[in-house]
Amino acid sequence: MTERKIKEVVVHPIVLLSIVDHYNRISKGSTKRAVGVLLGDYQAGGKADVSNVYAVPFEEDSKDPKVWYMDHIYHETMFSMFKKVNVKEKMLGWYSTGPKLKLNDIQINEVFKRYMADPVLVVVDVEMISQVGLPTEAYLQIEEVGESGELVKKFKHIPSSVGVHEMEAVGVEHLLRDIKDVTEGSLVKQISNKVLSLKALIERLSEISNYLELVLNKSYPMNNQIISNLQEIVNLLPNLSGEKTVRSFSVLTNEMMQTIYVASIIRTITALHKLINNRIDNKERELAIEKREHDKILAAQKKEKAKEEKSEDDKSEAMKDIDKK
């Protein structure tokens, strides 16, 4: 088993669908979690490309996290069958519908270390209540020296993303038709995406704030790498107090507002024009209907008058015949 340095995990949509289906079949409505195996291949740049999964029978005691069971014989049988179907697919690690890490995850990861050197753990939040960000979190097991000098096993978070092949994109678009409103314009989609991005940013800032408060209260040990990254983020923030920056933002904002204002006026005038045309069409239609009704009445009156004249003529002819006799 060769150890690989994995820097990122790419999860495909079909994998997420399979995990959600597994969760709905055995764990929905309960506190149980679904566990399975990740299959795929290693890509350049330290990427683990997860393209397939299969479920594994798993049970654990909710009261005692040390008591758990996973059917490794079933796992070995399933992997051998998948290997016959696609020899290129490798075992990359395992998944859990946590939605967070649990105490016995280190022990489960040790079982998967029998089959590979560095298994990846992907925790999937199938409920996704906040609907902000990605539903996946990827982890790798590392060993660090503790305060007592002993090796401590823990999970290290690594970046994860959702990737899709061209063939998968067609199927995903077809499935999203039942979820997304296809009548929405591009502007509405852009605004919705920006709102979701701002919500995700607020959530990340809240996590950073909570972490720093816990470090100040000495509830968490200070991690120099995290503090260094936060300092780099702060240093990269633009200086918004400069006169040139303020003027640039003001000009850009004014131009955008002017565009929106002109577009609103054009939209209003167009709507008013359509309303006037509609009123004119309705008026013309009403006049045409009235004219048809008037013509019908006149035709009926003429017909009635012709009948009366004919009856008068018949009466006069009858009177003449009587006089002759």
Side-chain angles (χ1 to χ4, degrees), residues 9 47 128 278:
V9 177
K47 290 184 179 181
M128 199 67 179
N278 190 29

Side-chain angles (χ1 to χ4, degrees), residues 142-200:
I142 61 173
E143 294 181 350
E144 291 182 351
V145 180
E147 296 179 356
S148 60
E150 297 180 352
L151 286 177
V152 179
K153 297 176 181 178
K154 60 175 64 176
F155 283 110
K156 174 186 176 183
H157 181 270
I158 59 175
S160 63
S161 61
V162 176
V164 59
H165 295 308
E166 185 176 354
M167 294 176 291
E168 285 180 308
V170 178
V172 171
E173 287 292 334
H174 184 72
L175 290 173
L176 290 178
R177 288 178 185 175
D178 298 332
I179 302 173
K180 290 188 175 181
D181 188 2
V182 295
T183 61
E184 289 184 352
S186 59
L187 181 60
V188 176
K189 290 180 180 179
Q190 290 179 10
I191 294 174
S192 301
N193 292 335
K194 287 185 178 180
V195 169
L196 288 176
S197 299
L198 291 174
K199 287 182 179 179

Side-chain angles (χ1 to χ4, degrees), residues 118-148:
D118 210 357
V120 175
L121 167 60
V122 175
V123 180
V124 182
D125 185 4
V126 293
E127 298 291 341
M128 199 67 179
I129 298 174
S130 64
Q131 295 185 352
V132 175
L134 294 176
T136 58
E137 296 288 343
Y139 300 92
L140 277 178
Q141 182 179 323
I142 61 173
E143 294 181 350
E144 291 182 351
V145 180
E147 296 179 356
S148 60

